[in-house]
């Protein structure tokens, strides 16, 4: 084969592979262009998760008719002219490849008019081939329509996630930009349904409410720290509000959404000891520094940056966040009444040695400390032989210890039972067993309304059929409002809002597990909330019932999250510990 230069069309398609990964990346590039054009109003319309249509309409400065074709050429940009410009980029775009890339992998239309012209101009492009330029009447600003994304790149199309996931990415992306540019009015519509509508009045809390919910927006603490070379602004969650993953930590550097592990680490450190292990805050932080101190030309998607002085950024973010936290909540509070440390120390080794898994219910997220001190080593106190492979022996209750554990005697020694973990297991099996039939539902005396964000709506809508079979009665009551009319009888003591929220809370964005796994996971979460807590006094009757119910479980030895429900001290071990048996 002879060496030849790639055709422009092919080169654009290759470049598109880097810039345009999924529909949300198209939305991102178009939004950035509108923001660079100083638009004060941006309308985004999406059909079928962006696979059918992405349309962005802005009222920015527009493109003059004689330059419109040029805007679609690769490496054509109005934002850079000489290489020194590259060291101090203050626009979101600068690579001049987004429009060319997008146009090469879609059926593309751009129309624009600038304020010097009376007429606008429109171009159609089909898979990179230009078609029929036309003068049109239009308002000042730019409209881009991207139809049938990846129609000519089947490999890419195949890797798109299911619609709800892609939609969620778009919602999350637009919301982030709305938050970063509160003075711009954003309107997002997915399949004819308005999923975000900000006023552009500059109020970030309004956007926060749309992003999470009004309650969270109210609770978020404001960060506003100015240091000599850098400003840190934004919102962070109080310690009472946390998530089980890092995904709710959002960062902007000079108005650009960035993913940066070091920033996340700085924030996590600022929360150190204020949050439980494995919990993460919700943060939206805007780092502002002079453009020459940050290199944005690291990756085609421009979502990675390099800071000239990493340490200054790190300590500034940490100080700003810590300062805000301490100013608002001087007394550190744990956000969960349950402290797993006693049992979780066992669980890592326990699981390894016994091969116990969470029964296919999600993964353990590695929050259990891995070192085990000598005195707590399960090898010395947990005698694992003689432990029935499934089921537990008949137990005689002795009593409750420190309002968290039950002590019982079995045929072969002593058993310590974690009351919360045990109850979780019991509820879990009860619900799973009844899952195929209709679970008994109890109507609420007073229906409870719950207010959700649009992405939460998507998640809830997906799970409503499951919730129905579990005994929840939930109906839609306006675009983002639901009414809870009934609850599973087993869970009637639970706060209805909390119960419904656990279904959507912390749902991993890209999770596409089997429906069975989702169900088990949701049920496990609901059980966790419903189970008796450590610190709760149980009557003698309740303690007995708990033991009996646990004995009846199929997998009584672990809670649905894989932690042990009980620890066994065998007679043999006790005898040896007291020097009655074996060599000293
Ligand atoms: P870049 O943003 O990196 O310059 P793009 O391919 O995204 O590259 O856009 C090319 C050029 O087209 C931009 O530099 C800008 O001049 C013009 N342009 C694109 N979108 C818009 C818009 N919405 N409003 C005004 N001008 C635009
Ligand atoms: Mg651009």
């Amino acid at each position: 084969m002879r060496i030849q230069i790639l055709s422009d069309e092919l080169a654009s398609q290759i470049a598109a592979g880097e810039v345009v990964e999924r529909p949300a990346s198209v939305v991102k590039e178009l939004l950035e262009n509108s923001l660079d054009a100083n638009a004060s109003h941006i309308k985004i319309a999406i059909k079928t998760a962006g696979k059918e249509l992405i349309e962005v309409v802005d009222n920015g400065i527009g493109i003059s008719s004689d330059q419109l074709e040029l805007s679609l050429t690769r490496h054509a940009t109005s934002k850079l002219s000489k290489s020194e410009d590259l060291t101090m980029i203050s626009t979101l775009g600068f690579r001049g490849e987004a429009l060319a890339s997008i146009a090469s992998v879609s059926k593309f239309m751009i129309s624009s008019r600038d304020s010097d012209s009376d007429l606008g101009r429109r171009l159609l492009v089909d898979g990179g081939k230009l078609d029929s330029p036309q003068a049109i009447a239009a308002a000042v600003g730019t409209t881009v329509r991207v139809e049938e994304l990846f129609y000519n790149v089947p490999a890419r199309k195949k890797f798109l996630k299911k619609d709800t996931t892609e939609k969620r990415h778009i919602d999350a992306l637009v919301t982030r930009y709305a938050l970063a540019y509160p003075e711009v009015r954003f309107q997002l519509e997915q399949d004819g349904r308005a999923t975000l509508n900000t006023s552009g009045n500059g109020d970030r809390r309004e956007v926060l409410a749309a992003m999470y919910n009004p309650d969270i927006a109210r609770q978020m603490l404001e960060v506003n720290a100015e240091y000599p070379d850098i400003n840190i602004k934004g919102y962070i969650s109080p310690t009472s509000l946390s998530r089980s993953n890092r995904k709710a930590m959002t960062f902007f550097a000079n108005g650009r959404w960035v993913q940066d592990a070091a920033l996340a680490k700085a924030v996590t450190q600022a929360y150190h000891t204020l949050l439980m292990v494995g919990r993460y805050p919700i943060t939206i932080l805007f780092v502002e520094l002079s453009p020459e101190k940050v290199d944005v030309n690291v990756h085609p998607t421009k979502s990675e940056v390099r800071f000239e002085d990493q340490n200054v950024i790190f300590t500034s973010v940490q100080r700003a966040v810590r300062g805000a936290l301490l100013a608002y909540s001087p007394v550190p509070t744990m956000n969960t009444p349950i402290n797993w440390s006693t049992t979780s120390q066992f669980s890592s080794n326990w699981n390894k040695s016994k091969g116990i898994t969470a029964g296919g219910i999600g993964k353990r997220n590695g929050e259990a400390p891995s070192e085990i001190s000598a005195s707590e080593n399960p090898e010395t106190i947990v005698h694992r032989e003689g432990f029935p492979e499934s089921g537990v022996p008949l137990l005689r209750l002795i009593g409750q210890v420190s309002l968290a554990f039950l002590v019982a005697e079995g045929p072969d020694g002593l058993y310590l039972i974690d009351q919360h973990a045990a109850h979780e297991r019991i509820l879990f099996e009860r619900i799973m067993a009844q899952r195929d039939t209709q679970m008994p539902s109890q109507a609420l005396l007073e229906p409870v309304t719950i207010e959700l964000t649009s992405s939460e709506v998507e998640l809830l809508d997906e799970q409503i059929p499951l919730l129905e079979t579990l005994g929840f009665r939930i109906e839609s009551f306006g675009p983002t409002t639901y009414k809870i009319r009934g609850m599973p009888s087993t869970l009637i003591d639970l706060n209805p809002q909390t119960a419904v929220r656990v279904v959507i809370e912390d749902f991993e964005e890209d999770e596409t597990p089997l429906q069975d796994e989702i169900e088990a996971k949701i049920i496990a979460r609901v059980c966790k909330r419903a189970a008796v807590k450590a610190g709760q006094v149980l009557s003698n009757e309740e303690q007995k019932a708990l033991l009996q119910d646990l004995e009846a479980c199929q997998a009584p030895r672990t809670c649905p999250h894989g932690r042990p429900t009980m620890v066994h001290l065998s007679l043999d071990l006790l005898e040896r510990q007291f020097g009655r048996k074996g060599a000293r």
Side-chain angles (χ1 to χ4, degrees):
M1 288 252 290
R2 291 175 56 76
I3 299 176
Q4 40 184 317
I5 293 182
L6 293 175
S7 71
D8 225 32
E9 189 187 340
L10 198 50
S12 290
Q13 278 190 10
I14 293 171
E18 294 184 308
V19 184
V20 189
E21 193 197 342
R22 58 185 349 153
S25 1
V26 172
V27 179
K28 173 175 180 280
E29 294 297 335
L30 299 182
L31 274 187
E32 291 191 346
N33 281 347
S34 298
L35 291 165
D36 281 343
N38 287 326
S40 63
H41 187 175
I42 305 176
K43 275 205 279 197
I44 305 133
I46 305 292
K47 268 194 203 142
T48 328
K51 296 171 184 172
E52 233 179 276
L53 170 76
I54 297 168
E55 182 187 74
V56 175
V57 182
D58 72 46
N59 65 351
I61 56 173
I63 307 172
S64 71
S65 294
D66 59 322
Q67 293 227 294
L68 194 58
E69 257 166 69
L70 198 55
S71 75
L72 303 181
T73 313
R74 223 148 50 88
H75 308 309
T77 178
S78 56
K79 301 167 193 177
L80 273 189
S81 58
K82 46 190 192 304
S83 74
E84 298 88 80
D85 295 347
L86 206 48
T87 61
M88 40 183 306
I89 288 168
S90 57
T91 48
L92 295 169
F94 57 88
R95 301 176 59 104
E97 56 185 11
L99 292 186
S101 295
I102 298 166
S104 72
V105 293
S106 67
K107 303 201 168 156
F108 185 90
M109 189 283 291
I110 183 167
S111 70
S112 194
R113 187 192 133 198
D114 69 357
S115 60
D116 294 336
S117 330
D118 298 328
L119 277 181
R121 190 174 161 84
R122 185 175 73 189
L123 298 179
L124 298 176
V125 187
D126 186 340
K129 286 188 206 60
L130 193 67
D131 193 21
S132 60
Q134 213 181 337
I136 51 157
V140 173
T142 304
T143 296
V144 175
R145 274 176 80 88
V146 177
E147 284 172 289
E148 297 180 51
L149 182 63
F150 299 138
Y151 81 99
N152 54 353
V153 201
R156 190 45 72 97
K157 201 168 172 176
K158 215 168 54 200
F159 283 105
L160 291 182
K161 297 269 168 32
K162 60 179 179 160
D163 287 0
T164 44
T165 307
E166 297 296 345
K167 274 182 177 176
R168 213 173 293 142
H169 277 281
I170 295 172
D171 278 340
L173 178 100
V174 179
T175 315
R176 284 195 192 101
Y177 275 90
L179 204 55
Y181 297 86
E183 66 291 344
V184 176
R185 178 162 183 219
F186 286 84
Q187 278 179 292
L188 170 63
E189 198 183 277
Q190 298 231 35
D191 298 315
R193 176 156 110 172
T195 63
L196 182 77
N197 195 348
T198 67
S199 67
N201 68 359
D203 181 6
R204 281 202 169 120
R205 283 209 197 246
E206 175 196 288
V207 190
L208 271 180
M211 187 168 181
Y212 295 105
N213 61 48
D215 192 40
I216 290 184
R218 222 172 302 121
Q219 291 183 54
M220 295 287 276
L221 312 176
E222 194 165 344
V223 177
N224 194 351
E226 299 191 356
Y227 302 113
D229 289 320
I230 168 171
N231 294 342
I232 318 277
K233 303 200 155 115
Y235 294 91
I236 60 170
S237 59
T239 54
S240 53
L241 200 65
S242 67
R243 294 282 159 106
S244 65
N245 59 55
R246 295 182 174 81
K247 287 188 178 154
M249 293 198 250
T250 304
F251 300 97
F252 281 82
N254 288 347
R256 180 190 305 282
W257 173 41
V258 294
Q259 279 157 312
D260 188 279
L263 289 177
K265 193 162 172 210
V267 169
T268 320
Q269 285 200 358
Y271 276 84
H272 186 60
T273 72
L274 301 176
L275 283 182
M276 265 181 54
V277 179
R279 300 298 298 181
Y280 300 93
I282 305 173
T283 63
I284 300 104
L285 288 175
F286 302 92
V287 177
E288 285 157 25
L289 66 173
S290 102
E292 60 273 28
K293 296 210 185 292
V294 42
D295 182 4
V296 293
N297 190 19
V298 179
H299 190 268
T301 60
K302 301 164 285 172
S303 61
E304 258 173 68
V305 293
R306 262 188 224 113
F307 297 109
E308 185 185 284
D309 197 340
Q310 188 79 36
N311 286 340
V312 170
I313 308 279
F314 191 89
T315 41
S316 309
V317 168
Q318 204 183 359
R319 264 171 67 197
V321 171
R322 189 84 182 177
L325 269 178
L326 295 180
Y328 288 94
S329 53
V331 187
T333 49
M334 285 296 198
N335 63 332
T336 326
I338 317 152
N339 188 337
W340 290 111
S341 56
T342 40
T343 47
S344 60
Q345 272 164 342
F346 293 125
S347 59
S348 52
N349 257 30
W350 176 287
N351 285 344
K352 258 182 259 150
S353 55
K354 293 294 283 180
I356 297 170
T357 65
I361 312 147
K363 287 162 270 161
R364 297 174 37 77
N365 48 11
E367 52 190 287
S370 51
E371 327 84 82
I372 293 168
S373 70
S375 65
E376 291 166 331
N377 188 330
E379 298 299 329
T380 62
I381 46 170
V382 181
H383 182 71
R384 296 190 319 268
E385 273 69 52
F387 210 110
E389 206 36 67
S390 68
V392 286
L394 290 178
L395 299 174
R396 183 176 69 83
L397 176 73
I398 300 172
Q400 192 183 21
V401 178
S402 76
L403 300 184
F405 306 104
L406 304 186
V407 185
E409 186 192 5
D412 182 32
L414 209 58
Y415 289 82
L416 298 175
I417 294 116
D418 180 315
Q419 67 186 41
H420 172 76
H423 196 211
E424 256 186 282
R425 163 56 62 188
I426 295 163
L427 289 175
F428 180 74
E429 290 204 2
R430 205 175 278 165
I431 296 179
M432 289 299 270
Q434 287 175 307
R435 185 167 52 132
D436 295 328
T437 57
Q438 186 80 19
M439 289 257 312
S441 174
Q442 192 164 326
L444 298 176
L445 290 177
E446 193 85 37
V448 176
T449 43
I450 180 166
E451 190 59 48
L452 301 176
T453 64
S454 52
S455 54
E456 289 174 334
V457 166
E458 297 266 346
L459 283 169
L460 185 63
D461 276 350
E462 272 175 62
Q463 302 305 340
I464 280 189
L466 167 68
L467 292 173
E468 287 274 323
T469 66
L470 294 179
F472 283 95
R473 296 288 171 267
I474 303 172
E475 11 181 287
S476 167
F477 192 74
T480 55
T481 313
Y482 287 80
K483 262 206 160 75
I484 309 168
R485 299 196 173 277
M487 293 268 289
S489 317
T490 340
L491 304 180
I492 198 69
D493 293 335
L494 205 59
N495 174 322
Q497 286 187 334
T498 314
V500 172
R501 279 207 183 279
V502 294
V503 175
I504 38 191
E505 174 192 271
D506 290 353
F507 226 87
E508 302 281 319
E509 274 195 349
D510 273 328
E511 256 176 356
T512 43
L514 303 169
Q515 186 61 22
D516 267 6
E517 278 177 46
I518 304 183
E519 288 182 22
K521 200 166 179 177
I522 287 176
I523 293 168
R525 282 188 193 165
V526 176
C527 292
K528 178 166 184 177
R529 297 298 177 102
V532 296
K533 302 287 182 285
Q536 202 165 323
V537 188
L538 299 179
S539 72
N540 203 272
E541 292 316 304
E542 288 169 326
Q543 296 174 31
K544 276 194 186 143
L546 194 71
L547 280 192
Q548 273 175 10
D549 290 345
L550 188 65
E551 281 165 9
C553 283
Q554 280 181 338
R557 290 171 302 164
T558 54
C559 81
H561 303 94
R563 298 182 180 99
T565 55
M566 59 174 69
V567 168
H568 177 207
L569 304 175
S570 74
L571 273 183
D572 186 57
L573 176 84
L574 291 175
E575 282 173 349
R576 271 190 285 142
Q577 291 284 311
F578 286 109
R580 283 163 167 265
K581 206 178 181 181
R584 282 215 37 155

